[in-house]
Amino acid sequence: MTQTLKTKVLIIGAGTGGYVAGIRCGQLGLDTVLVDGGDGQGGGLGGTCLNVGCIPSKAIIHAAGKFETVAKAAKDREQGGGTLGVTAAAPAIDLKQTVEWKDGVVKKLNAGVAALLKKAKVKVVKGWANFEDAKTCVVKTDDGDVKITAEHVILATGSEPVELPFLPFGGDVISSTEALSLSEVPRKLVVVGGGYIGLELGIAYRKLGAEVAIVEMADRILPLYDKALTDPVAKWLEKHGVELHLGARAGGFGDGKLNVTTKDGEPLQLDADKVLVTVGRRPRTRGWGLENMGVAMAGPFVRIDQRCATSMKNVWAVGDLTGEPMLAHKGSAQGEMVAEIIAGHDRIFDPVAIAAVCFTEPEIVSAGLGPSDVEGRDDVIQAVFPFAAIGRALAIEAGEDGGFVRVIASKSDHRILGVQAVGQHVSELSNSFAQMLEMGAVLEDVAGTIHVHPTLGEAFHEASLRALGHAIHI
């Protein structure tokens, strides 16, 4: 027997866009139903980010960093020295235990999201939705079908890993999802794709002791970032023995070998216990009846306006489904905004900048305009300040890898147009960068703010001072 529900707001997908929209709808007194598709639409409460993306990957990266520190201390001891005066015996990693710890972190956050939705009086329906028309869907649950009709629909189905036809997922060919739940460290790992996901996980597994090779079609790693930002990462890879095959194309995999065509067109076979394919993500538009909703598309994405409205009245879309950048914090901001619009508030989505972070070794942050965006312009100022001149960076061994903060500003009025950084722990500076851009800060605003000493944030202060022509510590 089919159960029937009618609601003010129906949200499809419980990721960072969907569940935030749900909580805000509840806070605003809107009757709301949230469909959580589990491993399908959204990946469970918290979506890809919480379950198989941002959070678990950072947990594995953190554990890998701890292991690397102990391993380095043990190696230095064998060579008669010590790391910061610390010596250690040869460490071992039980990846199964590490994954269990990671799963515990995810479970705790899942429970937190569930409690927040319950507090906001959002009804959560677990199951796979299929739309019959723009405002009606049937959800297949463990307890039978639930037919839901709504006045407003928010689509937040997220994205999924891109599969290569000649390297289908399965067995030893894995996506980032499987890479976060391996029971043991692979002896040889080949990563196909030199973007941020592949490099984050490739670096983590190198720290855990795997031999790692990276195959990237572009002529350099992280092609979306400028070379100055990626050079410190490339140096880390070289120093730690990670093979880089740039300008290369991956082929089929079999008998423990990945076929590769090099930049020069030569065939090459790479030994691999696991092949991690990270060539991008695509919006999850298939399998839930999008074609029955009558919404317009923009290429592979759902087309939206500045209010996240689709071409169908009272149907909204947020997050990865709507296009680049595919970032969790973008989806959350859009979800919160749409809830407020439905409640009658006057809102548009018009951020000055959405900061992006690459959790490699070292980390990369970019917000606003970069060097390529202002290339050839003589009306901008660019200033760089190295972490090698920052006391806190040196005290935590973060000043010796070529890291820096760069500020780009308008020459005429000193308005900050972009900020980038590369270095250990610079992800924690990203919110400061975004805040300054969003508030329309000028160089004098940063220069006039007393920055705490000793912190990495002093490099932002010094870069701004340098852009004004009077840096102190360089």
Side-chain angles (χ1 to χ4, degrees):
M1 184 174 178
T2 301
Q3 180 185 356
T4 301
L5 291 176
K6 291 187 177 180
T7 186
K8 175 78 172 180
V9 183
L10 168 63
I11 303 170
I12 306 298
T16 49
Y19 88 74
V20 169
I23 291 170
R24 189 66 182 123
C25 282
Q27 291 174 342
L28 292 164
L30 302 173
D31 183 31
T32 304
V33 173
L34 172 66
V35 176
D36 168 20
D39 290 335
Q41 294 149 316
L45 292 179
T48 293
C49 176
L50 194 157
N51 293 279
V52 293
C54 316
I55 300 301
S57 67
K58 301 316 163 284
I60 295 296
I61 288 168
H62 173 72
K66 293 286 189 183
F67 181 79
E68 182 194 34
T69 298
V70 180
K72 186 176 186 301
K75 184 177 180 180
D76 287 348
R77 180 191 182 194
E78 292 175 0
Q79 297 174 350
T83 301
L84 311 178
V86 177
T87 58
I93 181 76
D94 184 338
L95 192 59
K96 187 176 179 181
Q97 284 190 29
T98 305
V99 169
E100 287 174 355
W101 165 75
K102 177 267 295 181
D103 289 343
V105 172
V106 170
K107 186 177 179 180
K108 184 182 296 184
L109 291 170
N110 280 145
V113 172
L116 291 169
L117 288 166
K118 183 178 181 180
K119 181 181 178 182
K121 296 182 172 55
V122 175
K123 180 176 179 59
V124 177
V125 177
K126 292 185 178 294
W128 186 266
N130 191 54
F131 278 85
E132 297 177 346
D133 58 45
K135 307 291 173 57
T136 308
C137 75
V138 175
V139 182
K140 293 192 175 298
T141 75
D142 292 340
D143 299 319
D145 291 353
V146 180
K147 188 170 187 175
I148 308 173
T149 58
E151 183 180 337
H152 293 267
V153 173
I154 303 175
L155 303 176
T157 56
S159 61
E160 59 195 2
V162 171
E163 185 178 52
L164 294 173
F166 49 87
L167 279 176
F169 294 131
D172 291 327
V173 179
I174 60 176
S175 73
S176 56
T177 298
E178 292 77 37
L180 294 169
S181 295
L182 294 178
S183 59
E184 59 184 19
V185 178
R187 187 174 58 90
K188 291 181 179 289
L189 173 69
V190 176
V191 180
V192 178
Y196 76 95
I197 296 174
L199 282 178
E200 286 182 6
L201 293 175
I203 288 171
Y205 274 103
R206 181 69 191 111
K207 289 181 177 182
L208 292 171
E211 295 179 32
V212 176
I214 296 170
V215 179
E216 166 57 44
M217 285 178 60
D219 290 332
R220 61 184 184 85
I221 58 170
L222 298 168
L224 294 180
Y225 294 94
D226 67 84
K227 189 173 182 297
L229 288 175
T230 62
D231 274 350
V233 180
K235 288 175 182 176
W236 189 96
L237 296 173
E238 182 180 4
K239 180 180 178 181
H240 291 82
V242 175
E243 285 184 43
L244 276 182
H245 299 277
L246 301 176
R249 292 178 178 271
F253 173 72
D255 298 325
K257 295 183 183 297
L258 177 70
N259 293 309
V260 175
T261 302
T262 69
K263 184 178 182 179
D264 298 326
E266 298 295 324
L268 176 69
Q269 287 192 323
L270 297 176
D271 292 334
D273 298 308
K274 298 289 181 184
V275 176
L276 170 59
V277 179
T278 58
V279 293
R281 297 183 66 84
R282 65 184 172 205
R284 186 179 279 116
T285 56
R286 298 175 294 184
W288 50 271
L290 176 63
E291 63 276 8
N292 299 324
M293 299 184 72
V295 299
M297 304 296 289
F301 303 103
V302 171
R303 193 179 77 198
I304 57 171
D305 64 13
Q306 282 190 305
R307 300 165 71 243
C308 289
T310 71
S311 59
M312 179 63 68
K313 182 177 174 59
N314 291 346
V315 175
W316 316 82
V318 302
D320 290 359
L321 187 63
T322 66
E324 298 289 353
M326 289 189 181
L327 298 171
H329 40 291
K330 182 198 80 172
S332 296
Q334 289 177 323
E336 181 181 359
M337 181 199 71
V338 169
E340 294 180 357
I341 290 173
I342 293 172
H345 298 199
D346 186 15
R347 293 284 310 277
I348 62 170
F349 188 71
D350 187 26
V352 174
I354 302 175
V357 178
C358 186
F359 291 87
T360 45
E361 187 67 59
E363 295 174 348
I364 297 173
V365 176
S366 182
L369 300 183
S372 62
D373 300 310
V374 298
E375 189 174 356
R377 289 174 53 175
D378 58 6
D379 61 339
V380 297
I381 309 167
Q382 294 191 49
V384 172
F385 194 88
F387 281 116
I390 296 294
R392 171 69 170 163
L394 294 176
I396 60 172
E397 299 183 288
E400 301 173 359
D401 55 14
F404 61 84
V405 173
R406 178 205 293 134
V407 176
I408 301 174
S410 168
K411 189 178 292 185
S412 60
D413 61 5
H414 294 176
R415 187 79 56 196
I416 297 174
L417 304 175
V419 194
Q420 293 83 41
V422 56
Q424 293 181 45
H425 310 297
V426 295
S427 57
E428 297 303 326
L429 301 180
S430 59
N431 296 313
S432 176
F433 296 169
Q435 181 183 33
M436 287 297 179
L437 286 163
E438 194 64 39
M439 67 183 285
V442 295
L443 293 169
E444 286 82 358
D445 290 321
V446 183
T449 300
I450 299 176
H451 285 64
V452 175
H453 174 77
T455 63
L456 297 179
E458 290 178 276
F460 186 21
H461 183 234
E462 289 276 10
S464 298
L465 289 174
R466 195 175 194 186
L468 292 169
H470 51 88
I472 300 299
H473 292 97
I474 198 168

